[in-house]
Amino acid sequence: MASELENSIRSAAAKVAAYVADAAVMEVTTSYVVVGPTAGAETARPAAKTIIRLDGDCEATVPMREGPGGILEVDSGLFEIHQANVATATEYRARVLGALIGLLQRR
């Protein structure tokens, strides 16, 4: 009986450790597809990407297009969608980590 309990605790601790290691980096990629007869998830191409590390470092790739005179400008529509995706992912991660911390504090 004690052996089963110890194994369960070890298994749970390993899962928590893996989640914490995975939570150290959050990556959000927003992709696009060109609508047409051959469009599908497999034809999606990345348009924007954000990587946020637990230590606060952040890396962002934003969608750009060439405007008049060759001047680059941000594709604001895709960028707004990407910002919403990053905000949703950040909020979700904060809730999950808060729940995990709350669970550990009760023990």
Side-chain angles (χ1 to χ4, degrees):
M1 196 60 97
S3 178
E4 287 180 35
L5 179 59
E6 288 174 5
N7 288 338
S8 294
I9 291 172
R10 282 190 185 118
S11 176
K15 288 178 183 176
V16 168
Y19 182 80
V20 169
D22 190 44
V25 177
M26 182 179 74
E27 184 174 318
V28 178
T29 302
T30 301
S31 300
Y32 72 93
V33 294
V34 177
V35 178
T38 60
E42 63 279 351
T43 63
R45 302 187 76 179
K49 181 177 186 176
T50 300
I51 299 171
I52 302 171
R53 291 180 177 74
L54 196 58
D55 65 2
D57 289 349
C58 183
E59 177 183 328
T61 305
V62 298
M64 303 289 287
R65 68 171 148 222
E66 194 171 324
I71 297 173
L72 292 177
E73 53 189 35
V74 174
D75 185 322
S76 59
L78 277 173
F79 189 58
E80 286 176 21
I81 292 168
H82 182 68
Q83 286 180 307
N85 289 342
V86 171
T88 299
T90 302
E91 179 185 330
Y92 174 76
R93 184 169 93 166
R95 282 187 288 149
V96 168
L97 288 174
L100 180 61
I101 290 169
L103 180 66
L104 293 174
Q105 287 176 339
R106 283 185 264 182
R107 299 269 169 197

